[in-house]
């Protein structure tokens, strides 16, 4: 339980912070959040004799904290104190780069300065964001006294003659890196780096020489990782957290049982997790690298003298190529993959259950892929070992290690796809979506893809039951007033000890805002008529003489553009349409117009419904063109919907409407950002008053005054 010392530390740090901020008004919701986090983290069960305890979610808390609560200050103080006093790392993750930068550049320095809480912190990034000095050396065949030497065809890691512009950029990389004016972090390089060039100078875990690398001491990735081991707070994104979970935990980030997690923007976690555990590969690309395996195996055999590994890899590669050739013949007769209008034809396998005639080829491919991965990984380990014993062969061994690293990554991807294709969920579990796409590029290629439709089980076992403690928070976590959707999608519903809290907003919504539902005739189900009616209504709703900002949100780019084109010319001069300008330029223009006493109207899509902060007169009117329903038109969504229907459920009511509720609340949330804001929300979709689910959507919105 929470000790008196921990209570006192949190109370003292919070009081110090408020004392150092003249005019700061402590908020009841923020104090409640501090207490909820501290109490949950205090229930963390210890590891005893190396054995993980049976965790049931008792140290996990879900907190919906509306805008204005001050969530980051609450979890940094409570989480920072609890992690420090319990000997844990505080791992803070978010979905967006903007929030990560805010945490590292503003929030954490602010908390340390104003509260006196002595926290050290660092931003964690994936290996692919960092320069590999050894690869840079190989690409330029040496570096002497700050000068790049001309590429040597034997030593340099080029598969073609480099362009002069590429060599110039590499020279700049090397000069800056070896002069210590650049730390090798791609995000800190002052110019945009072409992706294809960056892929040559970065590395992945398969191609990395690790401890055998002669540049290990100056490697930006390892230096950054060393820092993570010394700091109190690690800031990362959801993708990095999920990648670490997929690898077993504790590989990239601190181990889950040593971590107190603060997962901000948690409403994104479930879908990001589904993407993380998905896999795909191209048939043509796989055949391309599989055909090169015998030659690579022969070259490696001459260096490591392990014929059982190299021969096994060559045999497994041949088996994979043979089975893929059989698949090519089988797919040629599938009517589902015949040419169709509207893009590449895709065959979605019903319920993720393969037809009988494809089960054996799938099993053969899965066995061969696993064997290939095992032998290639063994070859890579043998090459790393040989490098320590045969320094004279270092250049050849390093080239082999780089080539093997590429192949290991591809073999891992191949294995992941066919493991998913072979697996069939039981009748009660959500299925695995499986689909095959025929690429209409004239090359006869096919794309094999597979994905779980839910990551709930993976999160439950890989993260929640292993984490020492966790907070999930966001301004919008409930759908239709309940936490059920979030708990189901993240696997938290299986942990009875999880606590859920919805904090009160600090805003006076009935006074600050109003909600208007115009009497539209056309339903969005008739897109043409609905678009015409929006064009008629907008000039009535927006006063072109008032120098204030309006945000109009659309669910469809097509409708947004059609409305923008159909409006009167006098109205168009006030428009700023997302996509026509970079976001930063659009916002700069918006504020400049308002400063010059002109009205400004922003047309935006779903991405502007979240994370767009327009306080005060920058936005006094939010107009929502259509309820944000996302129909399941992708293979994963279709497979999930079919599974729900076969169980007697209604995917529209169970998934589509709850997800739309969250998006609608986020869109409406663009209006009131501070306690001084005011304005109106208008919804141009008559389904919100005519359909039964519309009443539920309305009930979940802030209690604005209805007009």
């Amino acid at each position: 339980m929470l000790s008196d010392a921990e209570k006192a530390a949190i109370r003292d740090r919070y009081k110090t912070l408020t004392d150092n901020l003249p005019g700061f008004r402590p908020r009841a919701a923020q104090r409640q959040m501090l207490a909820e986090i501290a109490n949950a983290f205090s229930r963390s069960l210890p590891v005893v004799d190396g054995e993980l305890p049976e965790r049931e979610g008792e140290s996990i808390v879900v907190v919906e904290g509306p805008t204005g609560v001050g969530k980051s200050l609450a979890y940094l103080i409570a989480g920072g104190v609890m992690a420090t006093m319990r000997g844990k790392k505080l791992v803070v993750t978010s979905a967006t780069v903007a929030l990560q930068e805010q945490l590292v550049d503003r929030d954490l320095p602010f908390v340390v300065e104003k509260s006196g809480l002595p926290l050290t912190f660092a931003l964690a990034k994936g290996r692919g964001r960092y320069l590999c000095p050894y690869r840079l050396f190989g690409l330029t065949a040496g570096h002497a006294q700050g000068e790049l030497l001309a590429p040597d065809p034997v030593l340099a890691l080029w598969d073609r003659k480099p362009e002069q512009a590429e060599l110039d950029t590499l020279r700049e990389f090397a000069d800056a890196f070896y002069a210590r004016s650049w730390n090798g972090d791609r995000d800190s390089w002052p110019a945009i780096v072409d992706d294809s060039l960056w892929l040559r100078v970065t590395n992945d875990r398969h191609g990395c020489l690790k401890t055998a690398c002669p540049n290990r001491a100056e490697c930006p990735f390892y230096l950054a990782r060393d820092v993570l081991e010394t700091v109190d707070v690690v800031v990362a994104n959801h993708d990095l957290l999920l990648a670490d979970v997929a690898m077993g935990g504790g590989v990239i980030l601190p181990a889950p049982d040593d971590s107190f997690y603060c997962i901000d923007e948690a409403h994104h976690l479930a879908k990001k997790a589904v993407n993380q555990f998905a896999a795909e590969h191209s048939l043509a690309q796989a055949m391309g690298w599989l055909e090169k395996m015998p030659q690579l195996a022969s070259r490696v055999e001459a260096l490591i003298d392990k014929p059982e590994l190299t021969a096994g890899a060559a045999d497994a590669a041949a088996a994979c190529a043979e089975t893929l050739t059989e698949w090519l013949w089988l797919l040629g007769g599938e009517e589902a993959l015949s040419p169709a209008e509207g893009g590449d034809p895709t065959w979605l396998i019903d319920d993720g259950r393969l037809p009988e005639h494809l089960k054996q080829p799938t099993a053969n491919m899965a066995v061969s892929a696993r064997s290939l991965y095992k032998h290639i990984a063994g070859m890579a380990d043998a090459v790393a070992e040989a490098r320590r014993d045969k320094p004279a062969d270092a250049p050849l061994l390093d080239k082999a290690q780089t080539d093997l690293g590429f192949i290991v990554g591809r073999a891992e991807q191949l294995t992941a796809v066919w493991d998913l294709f072979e697996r069939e969920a039981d009748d009660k579990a959500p299925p695995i979506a499986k689909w095959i796409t025929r690429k209409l590029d004239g090359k006869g290629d096919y794309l094999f893809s597979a994905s779980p439709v839910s990551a709930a089980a993976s999160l439950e076992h890989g993260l929640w039951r292993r984490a020492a403690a966790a907070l999930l928070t966001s301004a919008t976590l409930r759908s239709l007033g309940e936490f059920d959707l979030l708990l189901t999608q993240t696997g938290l519903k299986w942990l009875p000890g999880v606590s859920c809290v919805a904090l009160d907003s600090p805003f006076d919504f009935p006074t600050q805002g109003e909600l208007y539902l115009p009497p539209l005739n056309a339903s969005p189900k008739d897109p043409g008529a609905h678009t015409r009616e929006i064009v008629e209504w907008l000039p009535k709703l927006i006063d072109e003489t008032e120098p204030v900002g309006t945000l109009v949100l659309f669910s469809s780019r097509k409708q947004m553009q059609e409305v923008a084109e159909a409006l009167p010319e006098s109205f168009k001069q006030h428009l700023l349409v997302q996509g026509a300008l970079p976001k930063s330029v659009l916002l700069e223009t918006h504020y400049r117009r308002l400063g010059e006493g002109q009205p400004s109207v922003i047309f935006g899509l779903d991405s502007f419904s979240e994370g767009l902060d327009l306080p005060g007169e920058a936005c006094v009117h939010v107009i929502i063109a259509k309820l944000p329903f996302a129909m399941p038109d992708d293979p994963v969504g279709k497979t999930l919907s079919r599974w729900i229907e076969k169980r007697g459920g209604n995917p529209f009511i169970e998934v589509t409407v709850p997800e739309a509720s969250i998006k609608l609340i986020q869109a409406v949330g663009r209006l009131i950002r501070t306690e001084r804001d005011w304005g109106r929300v208008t919804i141009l979709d008559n389904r919100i008053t005519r359909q039964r689910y519309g009443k539920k959507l309305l009930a979940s919105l802030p209690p604005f005054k209805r007009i």
Side-chain angles (χ1 to χ4, degrees):
M1 300 300 291
L2 195 63
S3 69
D4 290 340
E6 289 165 341
K7 292 178 185 177
I10 294 172
R11 183 173 58 248
D12 292 345
R13 295 302 181 186
Y14 187 62
K15 185 176 185 304
T16 301
L17 182 141
T18 58
D19 289 345
N20 284 330
L21 294 173
F24 179 85
R25 289 185 297 166
R27 293 168 176 166
Q30 189 177 60
R31 290 196 298 267
Q32 183 184 354
M33 187 170 181
L34 281 158
E36 295 288 352
I37 296 168
N39 284 318
F41 286 11
S42 74
R43 295 191 289 269
S44 176
L45 300 177
V47 176
V48 180
D49 297 328
E51 293 291 326
L52 287 176
E54 293 289 332
R55 294 188 169 114
E56 296 293 337
E58 57 285 315
S59 59
I60 298 176
V61 61
V62 177
V63 178
E64 182 181 81
T67 300
V69 165
K71 294 183 291 295
S72 60
L73 293 186
Y75 63 65
L76 290 176
I77 290 177
V81 168
M82 293 301 296
T84 302
M85 298 188 74
R86 300 264 173 147
K88 303 294 184 183
K89 292 279 190 183
L90 186 66
V91 179
V92 182
T93 74
S94 70
T96 61
V97 173
L99 183 51
Q100 291 159 49
E101 292 176 345
Q102 175 186 314
L103 286 163
V104 172
D105 298 336
R106 193 184 77 183
D107 292 353
L108 275 161
F110 179 84
V111 167
V112 170
E113 177 189 357
K114 300 299 183 182
S115 74
L117 184 60
L119 294 175
T120 55
F121 51 89
L123 179 62
K125 299 181 182 181
R127 195 190 301 259
R129 305 307 298 176
Y130 294 102
L131 170 83
C132 171
Y134 188 77
R135 278 201 164 187
L136 178 62
F137 187 93
L139 285 166
T140 55
H143 183 280
Q145 297 179 351
E147 292 296 327
L148 291 178
L149 304 180
D152 183 296
V154 176
L155 295 179
L157 301 177
W158 289 96
D159 54 4
R160 57 171 174 78
K161 183 179 179 180
E163 297 177 5
Q164 187 58 47
E166 293 176 314
L167 291 176
D168 291 343
T169 301
L170 294 178
R171 180 186 298 277
E172 294 172 1
F173 283 165
D175 288 344
F177 183 70
Y178 288 104
R180 300 292 187 265
S181 60
W182 177 49
N183 63 1
D185 183 340
R186 181 180 182 178
D187 298 318
S188 64
W189 185 252
I192 295 174
V193 183
D194 183 75
D195 287 343
S196 62
L197 181 61
W198 184 258
L199 284 174
R200 293 181 178 275
V201 296
T202 189
N203 214 328
D204 59 24
R205 61 190 174 94
H206 303 298
C208 178
L209 298 176
K210 303 178 177 67
T211 56
C213 181
N215 298 92
R216 169 65 172 79
E218 60 185 356
C219 174
F221 170 72
Y222 279 108
L223 289 173
R225 198 171 77 169
D226 291 343
V227 170
L228 297 184
E229 296 178 2
T230 66
V231 298
D232 304 308
V233 183
V234 175
V235 179
N237 60 29
H238 292 347
D239 293 325
L240 199 62
L241 169 63
L242 293 166
D244 191 56
V245 170
M247 287 188 281
V251 179
I252 307 171
L253 298 175
D257 51 289
D258 289 328
S259 302
F260 283 176
Y261 293 99
C262 291
I263 301 173
D264 207 338
E265 299 179 319
H267 58 285
H268 288 293
L269 187 67
K271 289 197 173 181
K272 282 186 171 290
V274 169
N275 292 335
Q276 176 64 45
F277 299 123
E280 69 176 22
H281 82 79
S282 154
L283 188 149
Q285 289 178 6
M287 293 294 283
W289 62 262
L290 286 168
E291 289 172 0
K292 297 177 182 177
M293 269 306 302
Q295 181 183 2
L296 177 60
S298 176
R299 181 155 56 90
V300 173
E301 166 58 20
L303 297 169
I304 64 173
D305 192 25
K306 295 209 174 190
E308 71 282 1
L309 283 175
T310 53
D315 289 345
C320 285
E322 182 180 349
T323 307
L324 285 177
T325 301
E326 180 184 358
W327 268 94
L328 190 61
W329 178 79
L330 289 168
L331 292 175
E334 288 294 341
E335 293 184 4
L337 289 167
S338 59
E341 295 183 5
D344 297 335
T346 296
W347 174 27
L348 176 61
I349 297 168
D350 288 346
D351 306 318
R353 297 189 177 277
L354 293 166
E356 199 63 36
H357 71 288
L358 294 182
K359 288 185 177 180
Q360 192 58 52
T362 297
N364 293 343
M365 191 64 213
V367 170
S368 299
R370 285 193 288 267
S371 176
L372 177 63
Y373 177 72
K374 175 184 174 182
H375 283 91
I376 295 176
M379 289 167 60
D381 291 340
V383 167
E385 184 179 339
R387 196 187 187 286
R388 289 190 289 269
D389 301 333
K390 301 178 181 179
D393 292 337
L396 293 174
L397 287 165
D398 291 345
K399 182 66 167 67
Q401 183 75 6
T402 299
D403 293 343
L404 279 171
F406 172 85
I407 298 296
V408 170
R410 297 302 182 273
E412 183 179 57
Q413 184 182 36
L414 191 75
T415 304
V417 170
W418 291 102
D419 277 349
L420 288 171
F421 256 77
E422 185 183 36
R423 192 185 313 161
E424 286 192 359
D426 61 50
D427 291 336
K428 294 182 179 180
I432 295 169
K434 304 167 188 175
W435 65 102
I436 303 170
T437 304
R438 180 184 174 192
K439 306 301 292 181
L440 299 179
D441 54 7
K443 299 177 181 178
D445 193 13
Y446 292 88
L447 193 65
F448 295 89
S449 307
S451 172
V453 299
S454 168
S458 298
L459 289 173
E460 180 207 359
H461 297 293
L463 183 58
W464 308 132
R465 291 194 182 276
R466 297 185 58 200
L471 158 75
L472 290 83
T473 191
S474 179
T476 313
L477 290 179
R478 290 179 298 167
S479 56
L480 302 176
E482 303 291 341
F483 288 100
D484 294 355
L485 182 68
L486 176 81
L487 298 178
T488 298
Q489 292 180 337
T490 58
L492 289 173
K493 71 173 183 178
W494 295 312
L495 302 174
V498 173
S499 54
C500 298
V501 181
L503 302 176
D504 292 333
S505 172
F507 304 147
D508 183 0
F509 288 115
T511 302
Q512 290 182 254
E514 53 191 32
L515 175 65
Y516 180 43
L517 306 176
L520 271 74
N521 295 315
S523 166
K525 292 183 178 181
D526 182 350
H530 184 240
T531 295
R532 289 190 294 273
E533 200 158 5
I534 291 175
V535 172
E536 293 174 7
W537 270 97
L538 284 183
K540 304 175 187 176
L541 295 169
I542 301 171
D543 188 345
E544 297 180 58
T545 65
E546 287 291 321
V548 293
T550 299
L551 175 64
V552 186
L553 295 169
F554 294 86
S555 297
S556 158
R557 182 179 298 274
K558 181 175 181 290
Q559 186 178 58
M560 178 178 74
Q561 293 172 340
E562 288 177 348
V563 171
E565 292 170 2
L567 285 168
E569 290 299 324
S570 61
F571 196 93
K572 289 181 181 178
Q573 63 179 323
H574 307 304
L575 284 186
L576 293 168
V577 181
Q578 182 181 358
L581 295 170
K583 182 178 177 181
S584 58
V585 176
L586 183 148
L587 293 176
E588 181 183 329
T589 306
H590 178 69
Y591 279 106
R592 190 188 71 244
R593 287 180 177 178
L594 297 177
E596 294 172 351
Q598 303 175 33
S600 184
V601 181
I602 296 175
F603 275 19
L605 297 167
D606 283 349
S607 61
F608 275 23
S609 299
E610 182 182 358
L612 189 65
D613 203 10
L614 298 170
E617 295 189 349
C619 180
V620 301
H621 197 175
V622 173
I623 300 175
I624 298 167
K626 186 167 65 174
L627 295 176
F629 291 127
M631 303 311 293
D633 55 0
D634 63 290
V636 174
K638 288 180 178 178
T639 302
L640 176 61
S641 294
R642 182 179 168 91
W643 177 69
I644 292 172
E645 288 173 348
K646 293 187 75 171
R647 292 168 55 246
N650 183 331
F652 181 76
I653 297 300
E654 293 181 32
V655 178
T656 306
V657 172
E659 289 184 348
S661 169
I662 291 176
K663 290 183 178 181
L664 183 61
I665 295 169
Q666 289 169 342
V668 168
R670 298 310 96 202
L671 182 67
I672 306 298
R673 310 300 297 169
T674 73
E675 293 169 337
R676 296 180 299 277
D677 289 348
W678 53 276
R680 173 185 293 182
V681 172
T682 300
I683 300 176
L684 300 176
D685 189 331
N686 58 24
R687 292 175 296 181
I688 201 162
T689 55
R690 296 182 181 180
Q691 299 296 329
R692 183 179 301 175
Y693 60 76
K695 296 179 180 179
K696 294 182 178 180
L697 292 173
L698 276 177
S700 66
L701 296 180
F704 291 126
K705 177 184 177 183
R706 290 280 294 274
I707 60 170

